Amino acid sequence: MKKNISHVFLLFFIIQIGCAQENPPIIQIPEVMNYSYEIVIGGIDIPWGMAFINQDELLVTEQAGTLYYVKNGEKKEVAGLPPVYFRGQGGLLDVALHPDFSKNKIIYLTLGANTESDNKGGNTSLYCATLYGTELIDVKLLYKATPNTKKGQHFGSRIVFDKEGHIYFSIGDRGNREANPQDITRDGGKIYRLNLDGSIPRDNPLIEKSDNWLSDTPLKTAIYSYGHRNPQGMVIHPVTGEIWEHEHGPQGGDEINIIKKGDNYGWPEITYGINYSGTIITNKTSAPHMKQPFYYWIPSIAPSGMAFSTSNIYEGWKGNLFVGSLKFQYLERLVIENEKVIKREKILNNIGRVRNVVEGPDGYLYLGVEGKGIVKILPKK
Amino acid sequence: MKVFILTYFLGLGVIGYHLAPQKSKAESIKDGSEIYLDLCYRCHGLDGVGQDDMIPPLKSSDYLLKNIELAIAGLKYGLKGEIIVNNKTYNGYMAYQGLENDEIADVMNYILNQWGNSSKNFVTTLQVDEINKSILEK
């Protein structure tokens, strides 16, 4: 009898392992697919970043190191980029327009860079430049993370702006989780905030601490939040104005976070994920003074790019969050109610590695799909 | 005379380059494993079996083991379009990862001799140098 009971327990245990996988809500395939897609810009292998100037004009980055200016579907290479350090997940990353772009033609770029000529690899940098036709002039380095490393992992990076004249950008932990994300004297595993001219805002969270800091190793006062792994999605919430971010976790444990000034998001002290080899990083999923994610994905979807739909173009999608999945090669639609994810859906299943998603000025959703280019989602009428 | 001296030193340079100590197979495999664990395993897996219908296996892969030069070219330039691996068709996209030619040699030697794969071929930096994009276009 005892033996039987232990068998029953063993069975329960096995079932539990089998089922304890996906973090709810379970991803669904929509019953009715009232949308299709078209490739609006082809011939871009890894369309990493995208910035619309208006309905007909946009800028697109190709990770290997090309910036394209596109008008009515026709693309031209923009000259004058700073040297790009391309390795693994690094290269030319995000592109964004200055909030006053229509007047000053200033753009911002994040990219892997080696500005020290030390032959030791690279790290993520933020540049600004003026777009003059299809040429960049007045190219300025605003921030360069150190130290350089040849690791191909976790460069980040996305760029967003608030309405108070700040630019925010993310840098991943550069494959050094022990050293970087929890150390506020080091770069990596952080979200940074600067003024639009690249100076450090006087009300950044570490400024006060820095004034009383006695150590020889100065604080990185550009830091806005820390304890991140590899944020490749960031967007301003269209209603609340909050910064929404997502980041690649380890195996299981990709996260959505709402970014608040000075907060610690816990990596690698707390995580819902494990190493890719199956070994444990930590058993802790929470700790005092460390923020919990808004949502976490088990299994990992490898999220990249993030956008809210704010238009009435797609039936039932207004207010929903959209996230690209590199791993499962679809666009994920997340329905959020009362500050909870209540539904997840696969849009355009098997379309390819979805690197980016942006809502255009025309209200349509545009995806950057690896090997394909820029894809526009069309509602079926 | 000047031309002779120039040619002489140029010749020495070229010979010197080719005589540069090539690492042993074991060293190359070890360095290759580090690159694999940085840049490759997330898609191809720690066990080299790939992923569902999207990412082809490296373990016991006929494409890899019978087309070493094609595999090198894929690492050197990226690989796009349809390929057939162990009678199964894949149509994904593998990006160029920014690896130097000596690193491509190392990671090739690693995947050719891992998970039960074994190859008599020892991929050298020189071999990677000599492969160009055109072989992918055949």
Side-chain angles (χ1 to χ4, degrees):
Chain A
M1 186 60 196
K2 255 190 182 164
K3 206 176 169 190
N4 278 346
I5 289 173
S6 66
H7 278 158
V8 170
F9 272 111
L10 190 68
L11 190 68
F12 272 123
F13 181 65
I14 290 168
I15 290 170
Q16 205 185 357
I17 288 178
C19 301
Q21 297 295 324
E22 189 165 346
N23 186 31
I26 305 283
I27 188 98
Q28 296 169 356
I29 296 195
E31 280 163 29
V32 190
M33 286 189 219
N34 48 0
Y35 50 84
S36 60
Y37 74 91
E38 66 172 335
I39 298 172
V40 288
I41 308 163
I44 304 179
D45 283 340
I46 303 196
W48 218 98
M50 205 180 337
F52 279 88
I53 296 168
N54 55 49
Q55 206 159 313
D56 307 314
E57 292 173 275
L58 72 157
L59 296 170
V60 183
T61 56
E62 206 291 325
Q63 190 193 351
T66 311
L67 177 65
Y68 290 105
Y69 165 79
V70 188
K71 189 171 186 180
N72 298 319
E74 205 176 300
K75 61 181 192 288
K76 284 181 186 154
E77 263 189 64
V78 176
L81 271 183
V84 174
Y85 175 72
F86 174 52
R87 186 175 176 92
Q89 299 167 4
L92 181 57
L93 303 173
D94 209 10
V95 56
L97 307 183
H98 189 290
D100 274 328
F101 175 84
S102 59
K103 288 183 202 124
N104 61 24
K105 305 289 172 200
I106 291 174
I107 68 163
Y108 296 90
L109 295 160
T110 47
L111 49 127
N114 179 314
T115 50
E116 299 85 352
S117 308
D118 60 3
N119 199 26
K120 286 183 177 161
N123 211 325
T124 309
S125 63
L126 175 75
Y127 279 85
C128 76
T130 305
L131 183 68
Y132 183 76
T134 53
E135 200 185 331
L136 295 181
I137 55 172
D138 297 330
V139 179
K140 274 183 224 141
L141 178 65
L142 299 182
Y143 197 87
K144 165 71 180 48
T146 57
N148 291 328
T149 161
K150 287 193 174 170
K151 286 220 171 177
Q153 297 170 344
H154 309 168
F155 287 79
S157 162
R158 293 287 172 193
I159 302 169
V160 295
F161 303 92
D162 64 16
K163 288 203 165 74
E164 286 80 47
H166 301 121
I167 180 171
Y168 300 78
F169 62 102
S170 60
I171 301 181
D173 71 11
R174 294 298 283 109
N176 194 350
R177 69 183 189 215
E178 297 309 324
N180 291 336
Q182 290 294 326
D183 188 340
I184 48 181
T185 68
R186 291 177 66 91
D187 283 312
K190 314 283 169 17
I191 289 168
Y192 298 81
R193 179 172 81 165
L194 299 177
N195 293 316
L196 294 174
D197 63 1
S199 60
I200 292 173
R202 295 186 60 97
D203 58 345
N204 260 15
L206 298 181
I207 293 281
E208 215 183 296
K209 199 174 202 169
S210 178
D211 292 342
N212 307 307
W213 191 251
L214 298 173
S215 158
D216 290 339
T217 319
L219 292 174
K220 299 274 181 184
T221 51
I223 291 173
Y224 189 71
S225 67
Y226 62 107
H228 300 287
R229 187 169 177 275
N230 191 24
Q232 292 191 332
M234 212 157 45
V235 67
I236 300 290
H237 191 284
V239 177
T240 64
E242 293 166 313
I243 302 166
W244 283 51
E245 170 255 26
H246 66 56
E247 59 187 71
H248 296 267
Q251 177 102 291
D254 294 347
E255 297 179 352
I256 297 177
N257 294 299
I258 299 173
I259 301 301
K260 298 276 166 67
K261 182 174 166 178
D263 276 352
N264 179 356
Y265 289 81
W267 172 253
E269 301 285 318
I270 58 170
T271 176
Y272 288 88
I274 55 172
N275 282 315
Y276 278 90
S277 57
T279 55
I280 302 293
I281 298 164
T282 167
N283 285 316
K284 280 177 19 191
T285 54
S286 68
H289 315 300
M290 291 184 185
K291 291 285 154 184
Q292 280 294 300
F294 177 84
Y295 179 74
Y296 61 93
W297 280 279
I298 296 181
S300 295
I301 65 162
S304 191
M306 191 177 204
F308 286 96
S309 177
T310 64
S311 74
N312 291 312
I313 286 174
Y314 309 99
E315 204 187 325
W317 287 9
K318 191 171 181 171
N320 295 168
L321 180 65
F322 292 82
V323 174
S325 167
L326 294 165
K327 184 171 180 190
F328 296 120
Q329 315 203 351
Y330 63 74
L331 178 71
E332 182 159 320
R333 171 181 169 235
L334 299 111
V335 182
I336 294 161
E337 263 176 32
N338 299 323
E339 297 180 16
K340 262 192 102 156
V341 175
I342 59 155
K343 186 177 178 177
R344 297 167 55 222
E345 214 172 62
K346 287 183 187 182
I347 307 295
L348 301 178
N349 202 10
N350 294 327
I351 190 170
R353 285 164 57 86
V354 179
R355 175 50 78 183
N356 195 11
V357 50
V358 163
E359 188 181 55
D362 54 6
Y364 284 84
L365 290 173
Y366 292 84
L367 314 183
V369 181
E370 296 191 0
K372 278 200 170 70
I374 304 297
V375 163
K376 181 180 184 179
I377 304 184
L378 304 168
K380 272 189 194 152
K381 293 202 172 126
Chain B
M1 190 57 193
K2 262 187 186 162
V3 173
F4 172 76
I5 291 172
L6 198 71
T7 319
Y8 177 77
F9 280 107
L10 213 68
L12 268 189
V14 170
I15 291 166
Y17 176 75
H18 289 297
L19 291 180
Q22 173 72 47
K23 36 179 127 162
S24 72
K25 192 169 176 175
E27 276 173 331
S28 176
I29 290 174
K30 184 177 162 286
D31 292 348
S33 77
E34 277 169 29
I35 293 164
Y36 189 85
L37 293 176
D38 185 0
L39 301 169
C40 317
Y41 78 98
R42 240 167 282 109
C43 293
H44 288 288
L46 289 168
D47 43 11
V49 298
Q51 216 183 92
D52 309 326
D53 298 332
M54 296 170 202
I55 312 286
L58 302 172
K59 180 183 178 175
S60 314
S61 157
D62 57 357
Y63 182 92
L64 169 67
L65 297 164
K66 290 179 190 160
N67 304 275
I68 286 174
E69 296 197 328
L70 275 180
I72 292 172
L75 286 170
K76 206 170 162 182
Y77 304 104
L79 193 59
K80 191 152 73 173
E82 237 177 57
I83 60 167
I84 296 168
V85 182
N86 301 342
N87 297 320
K88 196 168 159 183
T89 304
Y90 295 86
N91 194 356
Y93 174 64
M94 178 176 80
Y96 166 61
Q97 297 290 319
L99 292 175
E100 309 281 343
N101 287 354
D102 61 324
E103 295 176 310
I104 291 175
D106 292 341
V107 83
M108 279 299 298
N109 287 322
Y110 175 73
I111 62 178
L112 286 171
N113 295 286
Q114 191 62 19
W115 318 294
N117 288 355
S118 76
S119 174
K120 285 182 198 134
N121 286 281
F122 174 50
V123 179
T124 61
T125 307
L126 187 62
Q127 190 182 358
V128 180
D129 288 343
E130 282 169 352
I131 283 174
N132 62 55
K133 207 171 181 174
S134 59
I135 71 162
L136 288 172
E137 282 146 19
K138 274 176 200 162

